[in-house]
């Protein structure tokens, strides 16, 4: 085992670099996690439920900068440790749950590109899970002297009956064939199909000989299929993290919004009624996305009844985490203090001797931030964290670190909420077809053909 | 107290007056650094009552302590105004104070006495001598201690940031920037120095709008501020994003990680990215400006200026938080890396082979462009071009192609070789039959191949319809061979029939026509069938025989030669030749067409209405095309399709159970046909499943070849990715999948992974050891 207190350089760099760039790190989140014990416990129970063959849906709701993305990533990290496979994606105008212009497929592709296992935490894990499954098939084929393709189809028998299942099995066996023949192109094509990157059936048929593709209409079916497949491949199940759900709220077209909400309802119903197995969803969004009765989820009556929070618990001042909604409170100054000291700890690679700034410095820093941007310094700490890490970076270069001298020079900006900006988005009536599909591909070597 | 303020004001007035009469930009050529004789070296916390600073900037040749500094570009004197020019002098590390002692006899050229924050006022007399020597030598000795370089830089920095803060001094500013760039060329290897220089230039470039005039050094080209500035300018000018800038922008994205192919072949990656980007966004990528403004900050290196970073808020939009388009760019980059991966891996495994045709076959088309005129691609393509000679397709001896190909064993062509030949040709829209990707065997070195023009590139696998059609071709050619040769008329009919198939795509028809040409040219002999036929059991052989009869009698006419051939084939398949007549009687169209009620061996349904997947045999007479109404149709249902249901019932009601049985039997026939005709080879031989290593410790969660893999790895701290892949290949495992299994076992036992990283792989030896205990 590695030493308990030492922080791996990879984790340290990932944390510091990402936070300085203003994004949530992908690694080492537990090292800088502050508070949120009840929420973590609730999602941990969800993860166990998924691994046991169940399904779950959670809406992680918090205002801008309250740490939704951080929380989603934290849950993702936990799920990976528990041998689940995770996929994550941010919704945006080109990625939605329901669409007719390729945006739902766009979301699926993004999710699958970010497919992560605990070995491939950074995503790009599709080949890994496929190979793990096929490896088992190869072993079985050897032991029982059968054809690998036959074993693949047998093992996927249950899946074959689901929507798109037959071609799914075909594509897996194409992957295996490609591996045997060292045909990297075919391998890539197989992975592209699995990631939903084919826009037309003709292309898929040319490349893989299959007749169907993953498209807008069957995205959710394929997610369910993928969850079952992952179980067969030896994982606990699939956890999907969809962030920036506010983009659905921002959709100008009512029809488009409603269709997306209907898809959410379908997912929610499936989860509550056991229509999906080994599959979990985490949706991250702002309070507007949930409760706005004009354009939020609550504008859709069926969702409103299912997602309304326990008013009795509210009145009693208790947090009820048994419902699908998890509300994230803003951080407190005390939370931020703990967070800063954790960052200091990470920056020093876990060695208290190397702390660049004493506790007194942390308080002084917070005071400085407070003077500049008021309460935002702890409520939406993104910029405070950036400034703090910049400060540490400069201190690190100094021979005799003098935090007092540098503190007055620290510039801290107020964090603007981009959600307030209008969405430069097309309406469903004129779907934004990916540019790729619009224009015929230019032929790279056309001038050299015979 | 009042007295004190009068004093301060007095000093300030004198200073301003002196400043007026000694402009910072002196016209006269100063020769010697001077100072007020009695002024001491200036302590940091100097009181305002102390003498007025006499220090100033020298921009021409200057002499001090006998050293002639040819460039000048230094501050000299006993003190300089404070940053805000309130008249308070302070320690300026770059200021050459002539009153400070210099020990010319023992110059500290190595800079051993320098501290981390050096300054002329606080270094030793020996170090001062070395520093002046460095300046006198033109500040151009690359091995100089970076501390001296920094002292010089502090001065340049101060001049640029304080004295030249206004716009009008552009000429001097450019001269100083050139000097800094010169220093960067000499001392850029020092990360600290290059970082400061880069940041300073960023700041100046944005503040004084120097991007166009500044020749961007590689350091600047990749600096975030510069890239954001370029992006912002591009937007302001209403331009779309081009590939070059897009890639630079992407490089700043913390979510983007270049993988091995991009690191191993950076230039190729750039080329491919540009090609793909231009293909997707022919007019560049449109994007809208963000509302916040780009601000650039510079934290000076000099201790005199430290503490208050210089900040400039421009009018340009700040693109640093504009992340909307990055996912699209990441996607393009990922695709590029995927496409480069096979070549990159070959390069790591076998660099010389990567230069051969077999290596080039792995390159994506845009990367082949600059190899077109060179060997080995050029002679190969010339050969193909002259062989095709303007024709649609041509049959030629395989040798003609293989002569160019770097075969590992000249007498045999492996499937891998054949695959690469086909892949390379396909990049130039030339197809080849046989093609292993579409179910054929590898090229035979002494056999023929058919090259044909493809109307579109691509195609990696056979669709079920394609596989059925190749089976049909084989049967048809076999029957056409009954009289010993296949004549033009027969070929024409078979081709005609292919063209009529509605479920074949045009590109599949092109390929099948070529397949037919190849099939005929390879002159299949019945004898070759024999060994295949003998592998069939009686039931399979009978199914095959009946399929042949269908083909033969499709024209309602069986001539004696065909019957003789059928009998011969039955004999080869160890069936009683008399069965031919029996099967004929059962299957001939004049017999009762009642497919649903025929015996268990009935395979082919006779249908009146043309179904979606039918293969009709052509009429033997030239000019007359098959007519649907008069002839039996042979339906060869692909493996996964439903059997065609006639539009109108043909007098019997269909029993779904039997229909299902029929479908299954159709599949069976397909499988038999695939087995017989030169279809896909049997599954490649796997390495044998190794016995459980009984002499090695067992590990929970690992068995079979995974266990062998673990033991092969467990003592290696690192391993190149290619070596790992080879090891997995030997064990018949897929590398990424095997890594998952190994790590899973480690996680379950110890909560930590045992294998980490991409290339090279890192093995946690500690974990490996724990796993065994």
């Amino acid at each position: 085992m590695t030493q308990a207190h030492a922080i791996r350089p990879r984790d340290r760099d990932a944390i510091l670099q990402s936070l300085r760039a203003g994004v949530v790190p992908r690694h080492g989140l537990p090292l800088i996690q502050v508070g949120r014990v009840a929420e973590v416990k609730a999602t941990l129970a969800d993860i166990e439920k998924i691994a046991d063959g169940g399904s779950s849906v959670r809406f992680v709701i918090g205002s801008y900068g309250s740490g939704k993305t951080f929380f989603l990533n934290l849950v993702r990290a936990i799920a990976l440790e528990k041998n689940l496979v995770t996929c994550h994606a941010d919704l945006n105008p080109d990625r939605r749950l329901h669409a007719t212009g390729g945006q739902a497929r766009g979301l699926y592709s993004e999710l699958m590109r970010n497919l992560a296992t605990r070995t491939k935490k950074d995503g790009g894990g599709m080949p890994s899970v496929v190979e793990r499954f096929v490896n088992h098939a190869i072993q079985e084929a050897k032991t029982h002297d059968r054809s690998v393709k036959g074993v693949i189809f047998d093992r996927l028998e249950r899946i074959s009956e689901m929507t798109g299942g037959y071609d799914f099995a075909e594509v897996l066996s194409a992957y295996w064939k490609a591996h045997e023949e060292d045909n990297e192109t075919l391998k890539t094509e197989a992975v592209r199909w699995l990631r939903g990157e084919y826009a037309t059936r003709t292309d898929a048929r040319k490349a893989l000989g299959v007749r169907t593709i993953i498209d807008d209409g069957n995205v959710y079916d394929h997610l369910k299929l993928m969850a079952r497949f992952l179980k067969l491949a030896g994982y606990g199940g699939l956890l999907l993290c969809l962030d920036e759900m506010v983009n659905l709220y921002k959709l100008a077209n009512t029809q488009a919004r409603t269709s997306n909400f209907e898809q959410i309802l379908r997912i929610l119903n499936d989860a509550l009624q056991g229509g999906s197995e080994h599959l979990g969803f985490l949706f991250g969004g702002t309070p507007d996305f949930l409760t706005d009765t004009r354009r939020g989820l609550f504008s859709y009556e069926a969702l409103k009844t299912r997602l309304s929070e326990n008013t009795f618990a509210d009145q009693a001042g208790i947090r009820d985490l048994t419902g699908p909604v998890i509300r994230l409170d803003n951080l407190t100054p005390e939370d931020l203090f703990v967070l800063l000291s954790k960052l200091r700890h990470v920056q020093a690679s876990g060695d208290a001797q190397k702390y660049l700034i004493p506790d007194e410095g942390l308080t002084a820093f917070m005071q400085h931030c407070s003077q500049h941007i008021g309460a935002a310094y702890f409520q939406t700490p993104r910029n405070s964290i950036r400034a703090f890490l910049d400060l540490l970076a400069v201190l690190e270069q100094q021979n005799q670190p003098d935090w007092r001298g540098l503190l007055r020079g620290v510039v801290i900006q107020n964090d603007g909420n981009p959600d307030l900006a209008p969405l430069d988005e097309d309406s469903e009536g004129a779907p934004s077809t990916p540019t790729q599909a619009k224009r015929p591909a230019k032929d790279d070597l056309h001038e050299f053909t015979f | 107290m009042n007295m004190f303020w009068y004093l301060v004001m007095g000093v300030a007035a004198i200073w301003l007056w002196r400043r007026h009469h000694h402009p910072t930009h002196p016209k006269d050529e100063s020769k010697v650094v001077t100072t007020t004789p009695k002024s001491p070296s200036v302590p940091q916390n100097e009181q305002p009552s102390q003498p007025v600073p006499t220090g100033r900037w020298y921009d021409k040749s200057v002499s001090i302590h006998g050293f002639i500094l040819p460039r000048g570009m230094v501050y000299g004197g006993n003190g300089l105004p404070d940053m805000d020019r309130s008249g308070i002098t302070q320690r300026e590390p770059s200021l050459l104070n002539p009153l400070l002692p210099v020990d010319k006899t023992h110059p500290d050229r190595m800079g051993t006495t320098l501290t981390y924050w050096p300054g002329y006022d606080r270094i030793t007399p020996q170090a001062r001598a070395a520093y002046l020597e460095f300046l006198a030598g033109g500040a151009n000795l690359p091995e100089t201690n970076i501390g001296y370089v920094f002292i010089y830089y502090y001065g340049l920095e101060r001049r640029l940031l304080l004295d030249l803060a206004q716009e009008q001094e552009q000429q001097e500013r450019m001269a100083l920037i050139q000097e800094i760039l010169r220093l960067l060329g000499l001392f850029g290897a020092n990360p600290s120095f290059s970082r400061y220089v880069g940041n300073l230039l960023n700041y100046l470039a944005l503040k004084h709008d120097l991007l166009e005039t500044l020749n961007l050094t590689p350091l600047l080209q990749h600096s975030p501020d510069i890239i954001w500035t370029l992006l912002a300018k591009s937007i302001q000018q209403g331009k779309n994003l081009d590939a070059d800038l897009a890639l630079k922008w992407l490089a700043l994205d913390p979510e983007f990680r270049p993988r091995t192919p991009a690191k191993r072949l950076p230039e190729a990656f750039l080329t491919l990215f540009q090609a793909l980007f231009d293909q997707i966004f022919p007019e560049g990528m449109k994007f809208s400006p963000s509302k916040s403004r780009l601000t650039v900050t510079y934290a000076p290196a000099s201790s005199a200026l430290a503490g208050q970073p210089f900040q400039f808020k421009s009018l340009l939009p700040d693109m640093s938080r504009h992340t909307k388009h990055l996912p699209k760019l990441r996607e393009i980059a990922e695709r590029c890396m995927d496409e480069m991966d096979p070549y990159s891996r070959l390069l790591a495994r076998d660099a010389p082979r990567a230069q051969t045709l077999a290596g080039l076959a792995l390159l994506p088309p845009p990367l082949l462009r600059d190899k077109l005129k060179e060997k080995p691609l050029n002679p190969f393509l010339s050969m193909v071009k002259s062989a095709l000679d303007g024709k649609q397709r041509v049959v030629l001896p395989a040798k003609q192609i293989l002569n160019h190909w770097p075969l590992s064993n000249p007498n045999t062509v492996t499937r891998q070789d054949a695959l690469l030949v086909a892949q390379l040709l396909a990049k130039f829209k030339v197809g080849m039959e046989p093609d292993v990707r579409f179910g054929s065997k590898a090229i035979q070195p002494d056999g023929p191949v058919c090259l044909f023009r493809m109307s579109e590139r691509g195609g990696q696998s056979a669709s079920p319809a394609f596989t059925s059609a190749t089976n049909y071709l084989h049967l048809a050619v076999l029957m056409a061979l009954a009289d010993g040769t296949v004549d033009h008329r027969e070929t024409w009919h078979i081709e005609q029939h292919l063209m009529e198939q509605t479920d074949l795509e045009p590109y599949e028809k092109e390929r099948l026509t070529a397949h037919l040409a190849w099939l005929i040219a390879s002159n299949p002999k019945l004898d070759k069938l024999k060994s295949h036929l003998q592998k069939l059991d009686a039931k399979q052989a009978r199914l095959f025989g009946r399929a042949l009869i269908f083909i033969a009698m499709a024209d309602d006419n069986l001539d004696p030669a065909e019957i003789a051939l059928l009998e011969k084939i039955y004999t080869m398949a160890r069936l009683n030749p008399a069965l031919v007549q029996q099967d004929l009687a059962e299957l001939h169209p004049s017999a009762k067409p009642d497919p649903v009620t025929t015996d268990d061996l009935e395979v082919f349904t006779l249908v009146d209405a043309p179904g979606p997947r039918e293969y009709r045999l052509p009429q033997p007479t030239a000019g007359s095309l098959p007519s649907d109404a008069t002839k039996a149709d042979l339906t060869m249902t692909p493996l996964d399709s439903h059997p065609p249901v006639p539009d109108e019932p043909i007098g019997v009601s269909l029993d779904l159970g039997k229909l299902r049985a029929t479908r299954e039997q159709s599949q069976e026939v397909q499988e038999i046909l695939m087995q017989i005709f030169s279809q896909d080879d049997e599954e490649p031989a796997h390495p044998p499943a190794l016995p459980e290593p009984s002499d090695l410790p067992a590990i929970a969660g690992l068995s079979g070849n995974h266990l062998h893999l673990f033991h092969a790895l467990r003592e290696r701290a690192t391993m190149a990715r290619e070596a790992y892949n080879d090891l997995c290949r030997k064990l018949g495992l897929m590398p990424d999948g095997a890594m998952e299994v190994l790590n899973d076992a480690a996680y379950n036992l110890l909560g930590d992974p045992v294998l980490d990283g991409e290339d090279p792989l890192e093995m946690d030896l500690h974990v490996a050891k724990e796993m065994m205990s």
Side-chain angles (χ1 to χ4, degrees), chain A residues 186-297:
Chain A
L186 183 58
K187 223 177 192 176
T188 315
E189 304 291 1
V191 172
R192 280 190 60 208
W193 189 94
L194 292 169
R195 290 199 301 224
E197 287 175 17
Y198 277 104
T200 67
R201 289 182 174 76
T202 318
D203 286 349
R205 172 172 169 155
K206 251 166 93 174
L208 296 155
V210 294
R211 295 202 193 114
T212 60
I213 54 168
I214 296 163
D215 56 26
D216 282 342
N218 60 18
V219 158
Y220 179 49
D221 293 316
H222 268 279
L223 289 174
K224 289 203 277 189
L225 194 149
M226 182 54 74
R228 292 229 191 147
F229 165 70
L230 290 169
K231 178 66 194 165
L232 289 174
Y235 301 92
L238 176 62
L239 178 72
L240 298 160
C241 300
L242 300 171
D243 204 356
E244 305 294 348
M245 293 294 284
V246 71
N247 278 298
L248 296 185
Y249 159 86
K250 288 201 269 183
L251 282 176
N253 184 299
T254 317
Q255 180 57 41
R257 225 169 37 235
T258 313
S259 311
N260 275 281
F261 290 171
E262 273 166 7
Q263 188 72 300
I264 293 180
L265 179 66
R266 190 177 159 210
I267 291 168
L268 191 62
N269 282 345
D270 265 2
L272 297 175
Q273 297 160 3
S276 49
E277 290 172 23
H278 296 286
L279 182 61
F281 281 87
L282 272 182
F283 296 110
T286 52
D288 284 343
F289 159 67
L290 179 71
T291 50
D292 188 294
T293 48
R294 219 163 44 81
R295 306 207 296 174
L297 289 180

Side-chain angles (χ1 to χ4, degrees), chain B residues 224-225 227-236 241 245 249 252 286-295 314 316-326:
Chain B
D225 285 326
I227 291 165
W228 284 319
T229 309
L230 290 172
L231 274 169
K233 291 207 149 198
S234 169
I235 292 183
Q236 268 198 338
L241 184 66
L245 199 49
W249 190 14
L252 302 179
K286 285 199 177 72
F287 62 135
S288 47
S290 65
K291 292 203 173 59
S292 50
R293 298 281 162 235
L294 180 62
T295 305
S314 74
L316 296 169
D318 179 7
M319 301 308 290
S320 66
R321 298 190 186 190
H322 193 90
T323 51
K324 194 175 135 194
H325 294 294
L326 286 173

Side-chain angles (χ1 to χ4, degrees), chain B residues 202-237:
Chain B
N202 272 341
Y203 174 79
L204 295 174
L206 186 62
K207 183 161 190 268
H208 303 292
D209 197 16
L210 296 175
L211 271 186
E212 275 78 25
T213 34
L214 249 170
N215 186 17
L216 290 186
T217 61
L219 177 81
L220 280 185
Q221 280 171 16
H222 298 103
S223 130
D225 285 326
I226 294 289
I227 291 165
W228 284 319
T229 309
L230 290 172
L231 274 169
K233 291 207 149 198
S234 169
I235 292 183
Q236 268 198 338
Q237 292 160 7

Side-chain angles (χ1 to χ4, degrees), chain A residues 348-359:
Chain A
S349 300
D351 182 355
Q353 299 297 315
K354 290 190 190 158
Y355 285 174
L356 291 170
I357 187 166
D359 284 356

Side-chain angles (χ1 to χ4, degrees), chain A residues 400-436:
Chain A
Q400 290 162 330
D402 167 29
W403 60 268
R404 278 189 188 82
L406 283 173
L407 193 56
R408 65 188 160 92
V410 168
V411 185
I412 178 156
Q413 291 170 344
N414 218 334
D415 205 357
N417 180 353
D419 289 349
L420 299 176
L423 191 63
D424 50 342
E425 190 259 333
D426 51 281
S427 68
E428 182 79 348
S432 77
T433 338
T435 330
Q436 199 172 351

Side-chain angles (χ1 to χ4, degrees), chain A residues 160-182:
Chain A
S160 306
E161 288 161 9
M162 298 171 72
T163 314
Y166 186 85
D167 279 343
F168 188 88
E170 278 286 349
V171 172
L172 286 193
S173 72
Y175 188 95
W176 167 76
K177 188 178 154 217
H179 170 78
E180 287 298 316
E181 292 180 352
D182 224 357

Side-chain angles (χ1 to χ4, degrees), chain A residues 1-211:
Chain A
M1 286 270 230
T2 45
Q3 289 168 304
H5 68 272
I7 292 170
R8 284 199 285 186
R10 245 178 70 165
D11 286 343
R12 175 188 182 269
D13 294 348
I15 290 174
L16 299 184
Q17 273 172 20
S18 301
L19 289 178
R20 281 185 76 182
V23 296
V24 174
R26 295 241 184 113
H27 294 283
L29 292 177
L31 292 169
I32 50 170
Q33 167 60 16
V34 177
R36 310 237 194 268
V37 178
E39 292 89 337
V40 170
K41 273 187 184 161
T43 44
L44 190 60
D46 287 352
I47 289 168
E48 276 158 9
K49 196 159 79 182
I50 297 166
D52 283 345
S55 52
S56 88
V57 174
R58 289 277 184 182
F59 294 82
V60 178
I61 302 296
S63 50
Y64 177 74
S66 61
K68 291 181 297 295
T69 307
F70 186 95
F71 185 75
L72 291 187
N73 282 9
L74 181 72
V75 178
R76 226 164 57 73
I78 298 171
L80 287 175
E81 289 300 312
K82 297 276 173 193
N83 197 23
L84 256 59
V85 172
T86 68
C87 295
H88 63 276
D90 290 353
L91 268 74
N92 67 23
D94 289 331
R95 298 201 286 260
R96 306 174 194 162
L97 285 167
H98 179 277
T100 50
Q103 297 93 333
R105 188 174 62 80
L107 176 67
Y108 186 87
S109 297
E110 179 66 11
L111 283 168
M112 292 302 133
R113 263 196 297 274
N114 291 331
L115 185 144
T117 69
R118 55 183 163 183
T119 294
K120 289 251 179 197
K121 287 192 171 71
D122 287 335
M126 181 65 86
S128 298
V129 300
V130 170
E131 290 190 5
R132 181 173 174 170
F133 175 84
V134 179
N135 269 346
H136 283 301
I138 295 174
Q139 302 278 317
E140 196 178 319
K142 276 181 204 164
T143 322
H144 298 102
D145 197 21
R146 298 185 52 200
S147 81
V148 175
K149 186 171 176 173
V151 175
I152 291 177
F153 272 82
D154 278 0
R155 292 184 62 143
L156 292 181
E157 202 183 351
R158 268 185 69 205
I159 286 186
S160 306
E161 288 161 9
M162 298 171 72
T163 314
Y166 186 85
D167 279 343
F168 188 88
E170 278 286 349
V171 172
L172 286 193
S173 72
Y175 188 95
W176 167 76
K177 188 178 154 217
H179 170 78
E180 287 298 316
E181 292 180 352
D182 224 357
N183 184 349
E184 290 289 339
T185 319
L186 183 58
K187 223 177 192 176
T188 315
E189 304 291 1
V191 172
R192 280 190 60 208
W193 189 94
L194 292 169
R195 290 199 301 224
E197 287 175 17
Y198 277 104
T200 67
R201 289 182 174 76
T202 318
D203 286 349
R205 172 172 169 155
K206 251 166 93 174
L208 296 155
V210 294
R211 295 202 193 114

